[in-house]
Amino acid sequence: MLYDLTAVQFSKMLKNLSLILEKGEIFANLKKVDMAVLLHSRLAPDQFNLIRQIQIACDTAKIGVARLTGNLETVPKHDDTETTLPELQARITSVIDYLAQFTEADFAAAATIHVSQPRWEGKYLTGYEFAIEHAIPNLYFHITTAYAILRHNGVDIGKKDYLGPMPYKS
């Protein structure tokens, strides 16, 4: 289940983020607003701007899955130097491509492994706890914030853009 909740769902949400950003670009072109204005926008003075929200969402997805599968050495490196929408879209694409390399089998031990980070000062979470308590909420927080920044600036996006396509049955 952790495979579906992370690798699969993280990819879907990053694709949704990419499409939301495309709508932001269309909006900027129609309104004759420099896209850089949107990319540097934030909801509050002490909050990260849109660029940083996208970078963190990408990092959360790739590093989260790598930690759960014991593959930290394979994580794509990004230097956080993106300043344009094409650069950010390339980053999103590279993370989606990275996540596509994983299979359900890679997550066989994910629920019970110990996951730690330097800032946790020697403490750890099980893989299940890490996914449910940290990685998943963190990804959604940063994608939601990116969505909110664009929506706050007038981009015509809604819940369907955020959620993306649904696997409806009939």
Side-chain angles (χ1 to χ4, degrees):
M1 169 148 333
L2 286 179
Y3 167 73
D4 291 323
L5 290 173
T6 59
V8 173
Q9 191 63 22
F10 288 2
S11 293
K12 177 187 177 185
M13 291 306 296
L14 289 173
K15 288 174 188 170
N16 295 351
L17 176 60
S18 178
L19 293 172
I20 288 168
L21 291 169
E22 286 177 14
K23 287 190 171 193
E25 182 177 36
I26 292 167
F27 169 85
N29 290 334
L30 285 173
K31 298 293 184 178
K32 306 218 183 314
V33 173
D34 185 353
M35 188 63 193
V37 171
L38 294 179
L39 294 175
H40 291 283
S41 293
R42 60 187 78 223
L43 294 176
D46 65 344
Q47 188 177 50
F48 290 132
N49 64 22
L50 180 58
I51 291 171
R52 192 70 185 123
Q53 300 297 337
I54 296 163
Q55 291 168 337
I56 296 171
C58 288
D59 289 350
T60 298
K62 69 184 182 181
I63 296 169
V65 167
R67 281 194 170 112
L68 288 169
T69 60
N71 284 291
L72 278 172
E73 70 284 349
T74 68
V75 175
K77 303 286 187 263
H78 297 103
D79 293 327
D80 295 341
T81 56
E82 297 89 0
T83 58
T84 67
L85 184 57
E87 292 170 339
L88 291 163
Q89 291 285 26
R91 182 175 180 146
I92 292 169
T93 298
S94 77
V95 173
I96 292 169
D97 290 346
Y98 173 70
L99 296 176
Q101 298 172 25
F102 291 90
T103 67
E104 196 167 342
D106 294 318
F107 288 77
T112 58
I113 63 166
H114 290 188
V115 178
S116 188
Q117 299 181 30
R119 69 174 185 254
W120 292 355
E121 300 173 349
K123 297 175 184 153
Y124 72 90
L125 296 171
T126 66
Y128 179 81
E129 293 165 335
F130 171 74
I132 300 300
E133 301 282 338
H134 181 79
I136 294 169
N138 198 46
L139 179 85
Y140 282 105
F141 174 84
H142 290 287
I143 291 179
T144 299
T145 304
Y147 167 92
I149 289 169
L150 290 172
R151 187 71 188 97
H152 176 75
N153 277 281
V155 177
D156 187 19
I157 51 177
K159 189 186 295 187
K160 286 184 179 182
D161 298 298
Y162 176 82
L163 294 175
M166 293 290 171
Y168 293 121
K169 316 290 185 283
S170 55

